[in-house]
Amino acid sequence: MNNVGDFLKTNGIKPSYQRIKIYEYLMQNKEHPTVDSIYNALNGQIPTLSKTTVYNTLKIFIDKGIAMAITIDDNEVRYDAWMDIHGHFKCTHCQQVTDFSVDFDGIVGEELLDFDVLERQLFLYGVCKKCKEES
Amino acid sequence: MNNVGDFLKTNGIKPSYQRIKIYEYLMQNKEHPTVDSIYNALNGQIPTLSKTTVYNTLKIFIDKGIAMAITIDDNEVRYDAWMDIHGHFKCTHCQQVTDFSVDFDGIVGEELLDFDVLERQLFLYGVCKKCKEES
DNA sequence: GATTAGTTTGTAATCATTACAAACTGATAA
DNA sequence: TTATCAGTTTGTAATGATTACAAACTAATC
Ligand SMILES: [Mn+2]
Ligand SMILES: [Mn+2]
Ligand SMILES: [Zn+2]
Ligand SMILES: [Zn+2]
């Protein structure tokens, strides 16, 4: 992607300064940031930024299908602009969320044969490699 | 299970009236109720019941491993006393959450080889059979 | 009956999210 | 240019689920 503004435009989103910065932030910070961390990170560059704008913008991104919400924990919604199919692992020790590849073929039982499945989320929890080695 | 009180005891939980009723409710109502729906359903039988007790009790159940929280949606935590491995499908039309069987073998990529995976949650979203037929 | 630990309850506090309306911006047209 | 207007951003207030906390209660033990 050479131009974030064009990318937003082709997805039906008017590329305002704030929207471009928020999308760029998601692309460059793949640790699945929260609204709060996005706001705090961008508040330096955009001193007038409102947290409401961050909420609004992420909602637009999700509606237009260029980002997703990751509710891997009940007290923090995280956001991800990497839209390829992948799963998320959350380390209960260091709280980090790690991406991993997933093959959904054959995973689902027959109970859902007549269901339309439009979205999938696989969340794993445990202790990451780094935390295991440190203890 | 013939005696809920004994079951709670063997899991290190003192079987108070409220705890027994809440656990029985989870067993008999497998639609993954929220704190609110559990509270409202039991308030008739237990007029003095406090919502805080429902929160406290569910927390104990989860700590002791006899129930789990299902955060399939970011604005409502649901609870499940069926602890066998299974996935959850949420219909975005009627909001119902349906259980389905899952085979996790071979689903996870190599990225997590050195990770300790202790818990898994597979959430699917879409339109259920009933809603599909009705439209 | 007194003591005590554990449980329940009601209220207040917290905090993420949403609602809302005013202010602002940038494009379009007179 | 100036006026208009839709869309965007902002700050503040409201909402609502969850948590914190302390008093009241319960049931077992001494
Ligand atoms: Mn991711
Ligand atoms: Mn279930
Ligand atoms: Zn870790
Ligand atoms: Zn449905």
Side-chain angles (χ1 to χ4, degrees):
Chain A
M1 185 185 313
N2 45 8
N3 189 318
V4 172
D6 289 347
F7 174 75
L8 294 180
K9 254 188 248 172
T10 62
N11 283 280
I13 301 167
K14 202 169 169 182
S16 72
Y17 182 67
Q18 288 87 341
R19 290 169 179 176
I20 289 171
K21 287 295 173 189
I22 291 171
Y23 190 78
E24 282 177 350
Y25 186 82
L26 283 179
M27 299 248 315
Q28 290 157 15
N29 301 81
K30 297 188 183 288
E31 78 279 3
H32 311 91
T34 62
V35 163
D36 219 57
S37 58
I38 296 168
Y39 172 77
N40 288 323
L42 294 179
N43 205 22
Q45 301 177 55
I46 319 172
T48 64
L49 184 65
S50 160
K51 206 173 275 187
T52 302
T53 299
V54 180
Y55 277 106
N56 290 342
T57 302
L58 291 169
K59 193 184 216 321
I60 292 170
F61 289 174
I62 290 169
D63 288 347
K64 299 295 185 181
I66 66 168
M68 60 171 144
I70 308 288
T71 59
I72 198 169
D73 208 319
D74 50 354
N75 61 340
E76 53 173 18
V77 179
R78 291 160 170 264
Y79 295 87
D80 195 344
W82 184 31
M83 296 299 284
D84 294 354
I85 287 179
H86 66 284
H88 293 104
F89 174 96
K90 173 154 186 176
C91 177
T92 52
H93 192 256
C94 67
Q95 315 299 321
Q96 273 210 334
V97 174
T98 308
D99 292 319
F100 62 86
S101 58
V102 172
D103 180 8
F104 279 112
D105 291 343
I107 190 183
V108 174
E110 309 180 334
E111 300 95 330
L112 302 184
L113 267 183
D114 293 312
F115 287 44
D116 275 346
V117 176
L118 303 173
E119 197 194 330
R120 306 168 227 254
Q121 295 282 358
L122 174 58
F123 297 143
L124 305 185
Y125 306 81
V127 185
C128 75
K129 185 180 179 180
K130 206 177 162 199
C131 287
K132 258 178 78 181
E133 287 168 351
E134 282 173 2
S135 66
Chain B
M1 184 186 311
N2 45 8
N3 189 317
V4 171
D6 289 347
F7 175 75
L8 295 180
K9 254 188 248 173
T10 62
N11 282 281
I13 301 168
K14 201 169 168 182
S16 73
Y17 182 67
Q18 288 85 344
R19 288 169 182 177
I20 289 172
K21 286 295 174 190
I22 291 171
Y23 189 76
E24 281 178 351
Y25 186 83
L26 284 178
M27 298 249 313
Q28 289 156 15
N29 301 81
K30 298 187 183 288
E31 78 278 4
H32 312 91
T34 62
V35 163
D36 220 58
S37 56
I38 296 169
Y39 171 77
N40 288 323
L42 294 180
N43 205 21
Q45 301 177 56
I46 319 172
T48 64
L49 183 64
S50 161
K51 208 174 274 188
T52 303
T53 299
V54 180
Y55 277 106
N56 289 341
T57 302
L58 290 168
K59 194 186 215 323
I60 291 171
F61 289 174
I62 290 168
D63 289 346
K64 299 295 186 180
I66 65 167
M68 61 172 143
I70 308 288
T71 60
I72 198 168
D73 208 319
D74 49 354
N75 60 341
E76 54 173 17
V77 179
R78 290 160 171 263
Y79 295 88
D80 196 345
W82 184 31
M83 296 299 284
D84 294 354
I85 288 180
H86 66 284
H88 292 104
F89 174 95
K90 173 155 187 176
C91 176
T92 52
H93 193 255
C94 67
Q95 316 299 318
Q96 273 209 333
V97 174
T98 308
D99 293 320
F100 60 87
S101 58
V102 172
D103 180 9
F104 279 113
D105 291 343
I107 191 182
V108 174
E110 310 180 334
E111 299 95 330
L112 302 185
L113 266 185
D114 294 310
F115 287 45
D116 274 345
V117 177
L118 304 173
E119 197 194 330
R120 307 168 227 253
Q121 295 282 359
L122 174 59
F123 297 143
L124 304 186
Y125 306 82
V127 184
C128 75
K129 186 181 180 180
K130 205 175 159 200
C131 287
K132 259 179 79 180
E133 287 168 353
E134 282 173 3
S135 68

